[in-house]
């Protein structure tokens, strides 16, 4: 249940507290680049499973003079089964694949160093 903080340069901050029902599932990734930039900006993460395929881009952009959480987050809804596969396409061109990931956690994934 991700919350959202909105800050307007001319107004008061606004916190949108997520009060959706409990029991919904999610998975998140903290990417660490080695050949690519350390924050993995530009990496693409794709999850596939339970008949769905979702893709998110790692980035901190989104607005003028601001930054967002660099972690990549996926809402899975009521799906209890973990994604069957996770693919990370790093900015360097390296591809990482993971299988049988359990939901409701953040995983740290480090870009492999290839020789």
């Amino acid at each position: 249940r991700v919350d959202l903080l909105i800050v307007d340069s001319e107004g008061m901050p606004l916190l949108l507290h997520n009060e959706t029902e409990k029991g919904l599932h999610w998975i998140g990734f903290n990417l660490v680049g080695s050949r690519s930039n350390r924050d993995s900006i530009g990496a693409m993460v794709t999850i596939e499973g339970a008949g769905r395929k979702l893709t998110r881009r790692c980035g901190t952009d989104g607005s003028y003079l601001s930054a967002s959480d660099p972690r990549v987050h996926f809402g899975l809804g009521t799906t209890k089964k973990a994604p069957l596969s996770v693919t990370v396409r790093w900015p360097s061109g390296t591809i990482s694949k993971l299988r049988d990931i359990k939901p409701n956690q953040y995983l740290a994934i480090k870009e492999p160093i290839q020789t």
Side-chain angles (χ1 to χ4, degrees):
R1 300 185 333 174
V2 177
D3 296 326
L4 179 65
L5 176 64
I6 301 171
V7 181
D8 184 335
S9 62
E10 297 178 5
M12 297 289 293
L14 174 63
L15 176 62
L16 300 177
H17 180 68
N18 188 342
E19 296 180 0
T20 56
E21 64 182 89
K22 292 183 181 180
L24 300 179
H25 302 283
W26 58 276
I27 190 162
F29 303 97
N30 183 21
L31 306 178
V32 180
S34 55
R35 292 182 64 212
S36 302
N37 62 84
R38 179 155 175 80
D39 290 330
S40 306
I41 304 300
M44 300 296 286
V45 180
T46 301
I47 62 171
E48 294 182 67
R52 295 173 32 177
K53 180 177 181 179
L54 301 170
T55 301
R56 302 277 187 273
R57 179 184 160 275
C58 179
T60 61
D61 56 338
S63 185
Y64 178 69
L65 294 176
S66 68
S68 299
D69 188 348
R71 295 177 298 178
V72 180
H73 182 93
F74 293 89
L76 301 175
T78 57
T79 303
K80 292 181 182 178
K81 186 172 182 175
L84 298 177
S85 69
V86 177
T87 304
V88 180
R89 288 179 175 76
W90 302 91
S92 67
T94 303
I95 296 176
S96 299
K97 293 192 178 212
L98 297 94
R99 299 209 183 283
D100 301 319
I101 305 299
K102 295 184 191 300
N104 305 325
Q105 65 175 329
Y106 274 104
L107 294 175
I109 303 175
K110 186 169 183 178
E111 179 182 20
I113 300 173
Q114 295 181 344
T115 57

